[in-house]
Amino acid sequence: MSQEEEKAKLFVTRLLSNPTLLTLNPLQKEDQIMSFMEINADQLKPTLSSNAFFPGQSWFNIHNLLVKTLRLLIDESLIPGIQRQLYDKIDFRFISILRQQNWPQEKIKEEVLNFIKNIISSPDGRRDFSGSYNAISRQIVDKYINSIFDDHSYIHFELTKVQRLKMSKEEVKDMINTSLLLRPAIYVFSSSMNKDSSSGIITQNFAEKVEESLIKKIPSLPGPLVKSAIRSNLSFEDHKYLQATARLTSIINSMARSFKADMKIDRGASSPEKSWFSIARKNYKYFGWDIKMLDELFRFSAENNW
């Protein structure tokens, strides 16, 4: 490791030790530090270009070195975390229900893990993956699917009667969690130019190309699972026959991206998830979400104070 790399590591490590980052997941920590460096660039330039740090270097080179160092440090906890999610929290036996064929679980997990490493090698992929990572590590899917199956209302009907999933509650959880992990695959096969930069919506033509490429790359993944993941990037406003699991994947990924553990709630204020769903219901058309799903999820968050 060069002297400059060592200095960059010490500087970034100091930023990561900030107590306010303690409860955030690795990618949220990365996002916070990236924002800090962008917002405070004018204040950081004189210090970091001094003799104590990187004398004679342009801010462009310094920034790139810090970002590279930050991602390497974050990956030291992120990749083992992804591995734990895949190997400890998801049972891939549901795949045999979708394609009537058994594949060794270890082989599937290995292929998916390697593919996720490709996803997080892209800045846009990392950003989108943050919501998926958070949703699984915080078991967000589990609690909402429990409520959905207890309630037997709109979302349950869409999953069991419209999408016709012949699965148990636990198998549906595993399918949606896997769908979440694979959702950012669009960034492996193309750049963010193929999606709306603010809403995150892609075209059906692009979705179909990604699905075809992903099935070739990981042939053990059945078509319905791949569609659930990739089409979660489509708008329900424009595609009324979008799978229920794809619609849930989109909503949960976006909601979980802003979720922070141990968030304090002021007296009289709405709980974090209820507050998010309340805002999402007003913007559902822009982001292409299913308003009936949002209404039901909002009700669950209100009833359970989530």
Side-chain angles (χ1 to χ4, degrees):
M1 183 180 291
S2 70
Q3 190 175 16
E4 284 192 342
E5 289 171 334
E6 187 65 40
K7 287 180 179 178
K9 184 176 180 180
L10 288 170
F11 180 76
V12 172
T13 300
R14 196 179 311 146
L15 293 179
L16 285 169
S17 66
N18 189 316
T20 62
L21 303 179
L22 190 61
T23 61
L24 302 184
N25 79 41
L27 288 171
Q28 287 177 319
K29 292 178 182 179
E30 179 177 299
D31 187 57
Q32 288 290 308
I33 292 175
M34 294 278 280
S35 297
F36 170 80
M37 289 194 295
E38 292 292 335
I39 293 168
N40 297 283
D42 290 340
Q43 289 76 30
L44 291 170
K45 285 177 192 176
T47 302
L48 293 175
S49 59
S50 69
N51 290 332
F53 287 95
F54 312 106
Q57 290 287 344
S58 68
W59 174 246
F60 177 81
N61 289 338
I62 294 170
H63 182 266
N64 284 348
L65 175 60
L66 294 176
V67 168
K68 178 184 176 183
T69 304
L70 173 62
R71 287 181 177 152
L72 287 171
L73 289 172
I74 289 297
D75 282 350
E76 289 179 4
S77 57
L78 175 63
I79 292 174
I82 295 169
Q83 210 160 356
R84 284 193 299 272
Q85 291 179 351
L86 273 173
Y87 285 82
D88 300 341
K89 295 188 177 182
I90 300 178
D91 187 334
F92 282 86
R93 281 181 291 186
F94 75 91
I95 286 179
S96 63
I97 299 172
L98 295 175
R99 70 181 315 158
Q100 302 300 311
Q101 186 179 2
N102 289 319
W103 286 73
Q105 284 214 41
E106 292 302 311
K107 178 68 172 173
I108 297 170
K109 291 175 181 180
E110 180 185 349
E111 290 180 347
V112 171
L113 177 61
N114 289 333
F115 185 76
I116 291 172
K117 289 178 182 178
N118 287 339
I119 289 175
I120 61 173
S121 67
S122 152
D124 290 316
R126 289 173 84 87
R127 195 173 299 113
D128 196 54
F129 190 77
S130 179
S132 299
Y133 184 93
N134 224 13
I136 299 172
S137 60
R138 304 295 179 189
Q139 298 184 306
I140 291 174
V141 171
D142 297 48
K143 65 184 184 183
Y144 281 101
I145 291 297
N146 286 339
S147 292
I148 287 165
F149 272 73
D150 289 343
D151 197 68
H152 282 264
S153 293
Y154 172 72
I155 301 176
H156 184 268
F157 182 85
E158 291 292 299
L159 288 168
T160 60
K161 303 301 181 183
V162 179
Q163 191 169 344
R164 298 182 180 179
L165 292 179
K166 306 299 181 184
M167 295 181 180
S168 68
K169 178 173 66 177
E170 297 306 315
E171 288 163 341
V172 172
K173 292 177 185 177
D174 290 327
M175 180 175 177
I176 294 174
N177 278 327
T178 309
S179 180
L180 279 161
L181 290 176
L182 296 169
R183 167 187 156 87
I186 58 173
Y187 299 104
V188 172
F189 300 104
S190 191
S191 70
S192 60
M193 295 301 291
N194 287 286
K195 64 191 280 292
D196 185 285
S197 59
S198 53
S199 68
I201 292 170
I202 63 174
T203 66
Q204 182 163 342
N205 184 50
F206 178 49
E208 289 170 354
K209 289 179 181 178
V210 174
E211 289 164 8
E212 185 180 343
S213 299
L214 183 54
I215 288 172
K216 286 180 181 176
K217 201 164 188 68
I218 313 180
S220 60
L221 298 181
L225 172 60
V226 171
K227 288 181 179 180
S228 174
I230 303 307
R231 299 193 182 196
S232 68
N233 296 283
L234 294 177
S235 169
F236 182 61
E237 285 294 298
D238 300 325
H239 305 279
K240 293 299 184 184
Y241 295 102
L242 199 59
Q243 301 94 319
T245 51
R247 284 176 263 161
L248 278 171
T249 296
S250 177
I251 292 170
I252 291 171
N253 171 277
S254 295
M255 188 267 285
R257 212 178 305 164
S258 62
F259 180 87
K260 294 180 177 62
D262 303 326
M263 186 183 292
K264 292 183 180 179
I265 306 171
D266 294 332
R267 181 176 293 180
S270 295
S271 58
E273 291 171 37
K274 179 186 174 185
S275 179
W276 187 90
F277 284 122
S278 179
I279 296 169
R281 289 158 78 203
K282 298 173 184 175
N283 302 313
Y284 76 95
K285 287 187 178 181
Y286 179 74
F287 290 101
W289 292 321
D290 181 346
I291 185 60
K292 290 185 179 179
M293 278 193 175
L294 287 172
D295 287 342
E296 193 168 307
L297 296 171
F298 172 81
R299 177 165 58 83
F300 296 147
S301 66
E303 290 171 352
N304 294 281
N305 198 35
W306 290 334

